[in-house]
Amino acid sequence: IDNILVEVSEKLSIIESCELAGVVVPRFCYHEILSVSGNCRMCVVEVDTIEKPVASCATEAKGGMDVYTNNAFVKKARENVVEFLLLNHPLDCPICDQAGECDLQDQVKAYGSSQARFFGLKKTKEDRLCNPFIKTIMTRCITCTRCVRFATEIAGVEYFGTLNRGKNTEIGSYSEDLFISEISANVVDLCPVGALTSAPYAFHGRPWELRSTEAIDTVDALGSPIYVDHKENVIYRILPRSTEELKSSIIADVSRFSYENTKHNRILRSSKKENGYHLISVKDKNLQKECVSFLKKQIEKGLSVIIDETIDVESLIYLNFLKKSESKLDLLVLNKSNVTSENIIINEQYSIKNYFDSLKTSCFLVGVNLRIENAVINSKLRFKYRTSDVKVITSGFNYDNNIPNRLLYLNLSDTLTSFEGLYEGLAQNYTKNKETMIIFGENFFNRM
């Protein structure tokens, strides 16, 4: 690649090989979590054995191949691609919410021509009402089909599609239904231009005005890494953050828009009751000291704390700290699943991704509506089903998880006895496939 010898694994594409070699190749339609379409042609490179430019995302790297990514031939090809993409693209960057973080802006500046040769009328497209979270301005669309592939492959909702042919091709839908999915707003992050933007964030701020803070999603049980974008003391949006452990940047809509509840009914100052009913303002430092002294007095009188398995981790950590410092504190546990304050292990190295990487055979869903209870895990399981030979077995009610599955009409007692090997088919599945994943839902524990 560019006269540098690179050794890569078999069946890797040229664009993946370039990433391993540290060579930047521009792209619009290619994305790591989606299938290859190869229709934007922005990632063209030159291969020594082929006369014409080659789409690097759709071409497999082979031994002895010479690839050039930055010579005059490739630069001219990319200029032509950018010129065609801008034929019908409106010049409304000053009012576009994607301005400042737009892939088209960056790549036009880096790879485009300084002169325009088209002076005709631009083609317009009709906007669509997808759902309350997605704002559409389809005239800006460059038909990369990322949203089409995400909706079909990851979300499991065949909503978007390509209509017409040639210069009249556009992204749309034949039906007037809404895009109903628990992870629908991720198309906003995937869209490289301003065709699909966040409706709640519209006209509220610019990227250069916001400060971005790394955080952890507290809404789902995965602890997904996120960015919290804020200005002064107001949160304007939450975005997914890629890490080495979780490279698939997907978060649920309930996590993405959970910041809305921080804007209303906030406690702006600390207060305490005086004489039983009157509230007076107290400084935070003084209030903390008073709380500690109050708890110590109550513990001396014989304070008991009753918890169950639904307690949040922050409260559990604080109770553990309090128990170690005050041995007289009495902790009572309403135990349904052997959850106590002593046997909780918080492992910083834990990652659900490790389990899904090793999932190769089957997944057993017991009383769980995975699409509602954890949409991110549901999307990962669907991705595993689509890319590998993973079988999904469901026991209980047949929830719509957008994953083809085998339904077992078993009640609670039959489900429990199935783990004891009384059902021959399931027993063979468990014994042969030692890496079977079993996911229990909230409904299962409530029935226990």
Side-chain angles (χ1 to χ4, degrees):
I1 300 176
D2 294 336
N3 298 321
I4 299 175
L5 184 61
V6 179
E7 184 177 353
V8 297
S9 304
E10 294 182 354
K11 297 184 179 180
L12 280 184
S13 62
I14 294 178
I15 193 171
E16 292 173 321
S17 304
C18 291
E19 288 181 354
L20 294 175
V23 179
V24 178
V25 178
R27 80 289 299 271
F28 286 118
C29 66
Y30 174 79
H31 198 276
E32 293 81 3
I33 65 173
L34 303 176
S35 61
V36 176
S37 62
N39 58 344
C40 76
R41 297 297 172 180
M42 191 63 196
C43 65
V44 291
V45 296
E46 182 183 5
V47 179
D48 58 342
T49 57
I50 303 177
E51 296 182 0
K52 296 181 179 180
V54 174
S56 59
C57 65
T59 306
E60 183 178 337
K62 298 182 179 179
M65 178 184 288
D66 291 332
V67 179
Y68 302 96
T69 65
N70 203 26
N71 56 13
F73 179 74
V74 174
K75 288 182 179 179
K76 184 60 179 176
R78 288 175 182 165
E79 281 185 7
N80 294 336
V81 171
V82 170
E83 187 176 10
F84 276 110
L85 289 177
L86 294 178
L87 288 182
N88 292 311
H89 195 82
L91 189 60
D92 56 359
C93 296
I95 61 170
C96 180
D97 283 312
Q98 194 77 1
E101 49 189 6
C102 176
D103 292 347
L104 185 61
Q105 277 184 333
D106 298 337
Q107 296 190 29
V108 166
K109 182 178 179 181
Y111 306 104
S113 175
S114 59
Q115 296 180 350
R117 297 182 291 178
F118 179 74
F119 300 99
L121 295 176
K122 292 180 180 289
K123 181 179 175 59
T124 60
K125 301 174 184 177
E126 183 180 357
D127 297 337
R128 292 193 56 83
L129 176 61
C130 296
N131 61 32
F133 302 136
I134 303 174
K135 175 186 174 183
T136 61
I137 302 181
M138 302 310 294
T139 306
R140 301 171 184 166
C141 180
I142 59 173
T143 325
C144 70
T145 68
R146 280 187 180 183
C147 57
V148 178
R149 286 172 286 151
F150 176 83
T152 303
E153 300 169 6
I154 307 299
V157 181
E158 295 185 356
Y159 179 78
F160 292 106
T162 53
L163 311 177
N164 306 323
R165 299 185 64 183
K167 66 178 183 179
N168 296 319
T169 301
E170 59 181 277
I171 303 295
S173 176
Y174 285 111
S175 66
E176 297 295 331
D177 299 334
L178 296 178
F179 182 22
I180 300 177
S181 174
E182 289 70 29
I183 54 176
S184 62
N186 286 277
V187 297
V188 174
D189 301 325
L190 291 174
C191 183
V193 294
L196 303 177
T197 56
S198 175
Y201 174 68
F203 306 121
H204 277 75
R206 291 296 192 182
W208 56 84
E209 298 174 345
L210 304 177
R211 293 184 59 187
S212 188
T213 303
E214 294 184 359
I216 298 297
D217 182 16
T218 59
V219 176
D220 65 3
L222 298 178
S224 303
I226 58 174
Y227 285 112
V228 178
D229 290 353
H230 55 94
K231 182 169 63 174
E232 297 177 354
N233 63 342
V234 179
I235 299 175
Y236 284 96
R237 63 179 180 178
I238 293 177
L239 302 175
R241 174 166 56 96
S242 295
T243 61
E244 290 298 326
E245 292 80 15
L246 294 169
K247 293 184 178 180
S248 56
S249 304
I250 295 178
I251 58 175
D253 292 350
V254 65
S255 302
R256 185 183 295 269
F257 301 106
S258 60
Y259 65 89
E260 290 289 344
N261 60 10
T262 64
K263 296 182 179 181
H264 311 286
N265 298 326
R266 295 294 303 272
I267 299 177
L268 301 179
R269 64 182 185 276
S270 301
S271 304
K272 74 170 185 177
K273 282 186 178 181
E274 191 169 279
N275 299 328
Y277 63 93
H278 186 61
L279 288 176
I280 60 173
S281 299
V282 183
K283 293 183 178 180
D284 290 340
K285 293 183 179 179
N286 297 336
L287 186 64
Q288 291 176 4
K289 293 179 181 179
E290 291 189 15
C291 287
V292 172
S293 62
F294 173 78
L295 281 174
K296 288 184 177 180
K297 290 179 182 178
Q298 298 301 320
I299 291 173
E300 291 294 333
K301 295 179 181 179
L303 176 68
S304 297
V305 179
I306 303 176
I307 63 174
D308 64 0
E309 73 274 3
T310 61
I311 186 173
D312 58 279
V313 177
E314 291 84 354
S315 301
L316 194 63
I317 293 175
Y318 183 75
L319 285 174
N320 271 326
F321 173 77
L322 196 61
K323 177 69 175 176
K324 291 177 182 178
S325 60
E326 300 291 337
S327 59
K328 294 183 179 180
L329 177 65
D330 189 14
L331 278 179
L332 303 177
V333 182
L334 297 177
N335 189 7
K336 280 198 269 185
S337 55
N338 197 27
V339 177
T340 67
S341 59
E342 287 81 14
N343 66 9
I344 290 290
I345 300 176
I346 301 174
N347 186 1
E348 296 179 355
Q349 303 300 324
Y350 171 77
S351 174
I352 193 69
K353 172 183 178 296
N354 299 333
Y355 291 92
F356 275 96
D357 285 346
S358 62
L359 180 60
K360 299 178 181 179
T361 53
S362 60
C363 181
F364 193 22
L365 304 179
V366 183
V368 55
N369 188 357
L370 198 58
R371 181 176 173 183
I372 301 298
E373 294 185 32
N374 201 308
V376 178
I377 290 183
N378 188 70
S379 67
K380 291 179 179 293
L381 183 59
R382 176 176 169 80
F383 179 79
K384 268 293 182 181
Y385 173 84
R386 188 174 54 86
T387 57
S388 59
D389 189 19
V390 173
K391 298 178 181 178
V392 180
I393 306 172
T394 303
S395 176
F397 189 78
N398 188 20
Y399 296 105
D400 182 17
N401 293 322
N402 288 335
I403 306 173
N405 61 84
R406 174 190 172 192
L407 177 62
L408 303 177
Y409 293 96
L410 301 179
N411 56 27
L412 179 60
S413 60
D414 291 340
T415 301
L416 294 176
T417 54
S418 68
F419 296 112
E420 301 174 0
L422 299 183
Y423 291 93
E424 183 177 355
L426 287 177
Q428 291 178 355
N429 182 74
Y430 296 147
T431 54
K432 291 181 180 179
N433 306 322
K434 296 182 179 180
E435 295 178 348
T436 299
M437 177 183 288
I438 303 175
I439 301 178
F440 296 97
E442 184 179 359
N443 186 34
F444 176 81
F445 289 106
N446 291 338
R447 293 286 300 278
M448 293 281 288

